Amino acid sequence: MGSVSLKIGDGTARFRRATLCSSAVNLLMLFSVLTTNLFALYAFTSSPKSHPFHQTHKNISLISEQVSLILREIDSSQKKLVQMEKQLLGYENIDLSRPNIANELKIFLQRHQLPLGKDSRTGITELVASVGHSCEKSVDLLSEYMSYKVNGLCPDDWSLGQKLILRGCEPLPRRRCFAKVIPKMGFLSFPVSLWHNVSDKVLSWSGIGCKSLACVNGKKLSKDCVGCFDLGNWNENQRYVKARGKNDFLINDVLNLGSGGIRIGFDLGGGSGTFAARMAERNVTVVTATLNIDAPFSEFIAARGLFPLYLSLDHRFPFHDNVFDIVHTGSALDVGGRPEKLEFLMFDIDRILRAGGLFWLDNFSCASDEKKNALTRLIERFGYKKLKWVVGEKINGGEKPEVYLSAVLQKPVRV
């Protein structure tokens, strides 16, 4: 008999069918019951041929104690088996019995029976909700996030949700409230909107230190975003069409390298969406992965008529295998920490890129030769063809030049 379980371990819903593990548990329980009955039958049917009354009474008491002990052992074993099964399946790690847990969180995480019983195609009997595995470590913040008035306005707490995402609580649970609405007035039609600065009033500034585009343009938000919210700025307006150095590739040159044409792409950490805008001018649809770190990136990209995808780089990309013609990234590839972290990211990039597709590494900062060599060795493991490969130095506001790597690589056909 199948069932469904909430798999908190990898942040996704897992449907549990009847497995060898569950069958073994059932057989063990059946064996325990049969063994107990046989012991009891033996205890009450067998007796010594000639013993005094007090000896018989003593034997019965001893047998009763042994039966009780066996029953306790069976009960303990059953509890251990249930616990082991839960640990193996990885669900029910969030303790909803804790005090101060929001009722909406309990409702969202409840498993729901299928109305017509077991599904014949998938074998599932229940549906469960997806929630990030690290939510358990931030359950107090998660409960605060899920504390709201049902059918009312959501609290102005998107920054709280983003904090949970950055702590690994991704995906977040759904909510039954209405998000804050900001009037979107003054938008221009596409493609004029690609290079039109929007008003501060159409963007949400809650949870952000700056309250205007002028403020964020005065900050270095990242290596890929210095003044990137000023679309009239030469550095932003001329990106990908005029090179500032040998590490800057022109977008038309890269597109000409594409085998079978470039139609759809994915940009990791794409700043204010300028790469997607340049591709849109060439009839290429690009999805830009971003978060609102210190600036309203997602809303600004959408205001340009482009597609922002609100997720962290630790999230498995929500795309099927081999779908993109081009993947573009720069400093977003610098995930730091252990080398395995970068490997996980690179393998996921490789997964969504089609054979013959292009991986454009755009001005990746190599703080040391060791870092550059480690990245080079990792790229070589994938067997990509190096269509363009340039290592050069640039001075970014400091006296000491920094080493940058830019490359266009082509994914091979693997059999």
Side-chain angles (χ1 to χ4, degrees):
M1 181 175 179
S3 64
V4 172
S5 57
L6 175 58
K7 172 85 173 167
I8 301 298
D10 60 1
T12 61
R14 281 288 174 89
F15 304 110
R16 177 165 64 90
R17 304 184 185 183
T19 62
L20 182 60
C21 177
S22 61
S23 298
V25 171
N26 292 333
L27 288 174
L28 182 58
M29 291 176 64
L30 179 60
F31 176 76
S32 300
V33 173
L34 290 174
T35 304
T36 303
N37 290 335
L38 288 174
F39 267 108
L41 182 62
Y42 172 79
F44 291 105
T45 57
S46 64
S47 61
K49 294 183 179 180
S50 59
H51 282 88
F53 175 79
H54 69 276
Q55 184 66 32
T56 303
H57 183 271
K58 182 178 179 180
N59 290 341
I60 294 176
S61 299
L62 181 60
I63 293 173
S64 299
E65 290 178 4
Q66 292 176 344
V67 170
S68 299
L69 179 61
I70 292 171
L71 291 175
R72 286 197 297 270
E73 288 293 332
I74 291 174
D75 182 64
S76 176
S77 299
Q78 289 175 341
K79 290 180 179 178
K80 288 180 180 179
L81 286 171
V82 171
Q83 186 62 33
M84 289 173 58
E85 187 178 24
K86 287 183 178 181
Q87 291 176 353
L88 289 171
L89 294 172
Y91 70 94
E92 294 182 353
N93 289 337
I94 293 182
D95 184 6
L96 299 180
S97 65
R98 293 175 52 176
N100 303 321
I101 294 292
N103 189 55
E104 280 293 281
L105 180 59
K106 296 178 182 179
I107 294 175
F108 177 78
L109 293 179
Q110 280 181 351
R111 287 173 282 186
H112 303 282
Q113 295 286 340
L114 295 180
L116 300 179
K118 183 177 179 180
D119 182 77
S120 59
R121 291 176 298 175
T122 62
I124 65 173
T125 59
E126 298 173 309
L127 291 177
V128 296
S130 298
V131 65
H133 77 283
S134 291
C135 290
E136 190 272 335
K137 297 180 180 178
S138 305
V139 71
D140 291 335
L141 285 180
L142 181 64
S143 187
E144 179 183 349
Y145 179 76
M146 294 299 288
S147 298
Y148 57 88
K149 183 180 179 181
V150 178
N151 297 323
L153 292 176
C154 296
D156 191 7
D157 62 352
W158 70 262
S159 57
L160 172 61
Q162 182 167 275
K163 183 184 294 185
L164 284 165
I165 289 174
L166 292 173
R167 292 186 177 194
C169 184
E170 185 180 29
L172 291 173
R174 288 174 173 168
R175 301 201 292 187
R176 297 186 294 173
C177 58
F178 297 101
K180 180 182 178 181
V181 176
I182 299 176
K184 304 288 185 178
M185 305 297 293
F187 286 165
L188 298 179
S189 59
F190 191 86
V192 179
S193 60
L194 292 174
W195 302 103
H196 177 72
N197 282 320
V198 300
S199 169
D200 296 337
K201 296 181 180 180
V202 303
L203 305 173
S204 174
W205 298 98
S206 63
I208 297 176
C210 286
K211 304 301 177 185
S212 67
L213 292 174
C215 177
V216 297
N217 279 319
K219 293 186 175 183
K220 182 179 179 180
L221 300 173
S222 69
K223 291 182 180 294
D224 297 329
C225 185
V226 181
C228 67
F229 284 87
D230 181 7
L231 301 182
N233 180 7
W234 189 92
N235 286 334
E236 196 67 20
N237 192 267
Q238 299 300 313
R239 287 184 74 178
Y240 308 113
V241 293
K242 290 187 178 180
R244 294 169 294 180
K246 65 177 184 178
N247 282 71
D248 296 333
F249 299 158
L250 303 184
I251 203 163
N252 287 336
D253 294 342
V254 174
L255 290 178
N256 289 334
L257 298 174
S259 173
I262 305 296
R263 303 149 300 164
I264 56 174
F266 186 40
D267 189 17
L268 282 72
S272 61
T274 294
F275 175 77
R278 287 299 181 201
M279 296 294 258
E281 291 176 330
R282 290 154 179 80
N283 296 318
V284 178
T285 301
V286 170
V287 178
T288 304
T290 184
L291 286 173
N292 286 1
I293 305 296
D294 297 327
F297 286 99
S298 294
E299 289 179 286
F300 190 85
I301 292 171
R304 299 179 73 173
L306 303 169
F307 186 173
L309 183 63
Y310 191 72
L311 86 168
S312 70
L313 293 183
D314 285 329
H315 193 295
R316 184 179 190 269
F317 300 136
F319 306 111
H320 195 55
D321 303 350
N322 309 299
V323 295
F324 287 107
D325 302 313
I326 186 170
V327 175
H328 172 267
T329 188
S331 62
L333 199 66
D334 189 6
V335 292
R338 297 176 62 84
E340 292 86 354
K341 191 81 169 178
L342 178 58
E343 289 184 15
F344 277 114
L345 178 57
M346 278 296 300
F347 271 96
D348 211 24
I349 290 174
D350 179 82
R351 178 183 64 82
I352 63 175
L353 184 63
R354 69 167 174 84
L358 304 181
F359 174 50
W360 182 351
L361 182 59
D362 187 6
N363 282 280
F364 178 79
S365 176
C366 301
S368 63
D369 287 339
E370 181 182 355
K371 185 176 181 180
K372 181 189 69 176
N373 294 335
L375 177 61
T376 301
R377 289 193 298 269
L378 177 59
I379 290 175
E380 290 175 346
R381 285 170 53 188
F382 288 86
Y384 283 24
K385 181 179 180 181
K386 296 179 181 178
L387 303 180
K388 294 177 73 73
W389 185 277
V390 175
V391 178
E393 294 184 345
K394 293 196 303 182
I395 298 178
N396 289 329
E399 296 181 358
K400 186 178 180 180
E402 297 181 30
V403 177
Y404 284 82
L405 168 64
S406 292
V408 178
L409 311 167
Q410 188 173 44
K411 179 178 176 179
V413 177
R414 303 190 187 103
V415 293

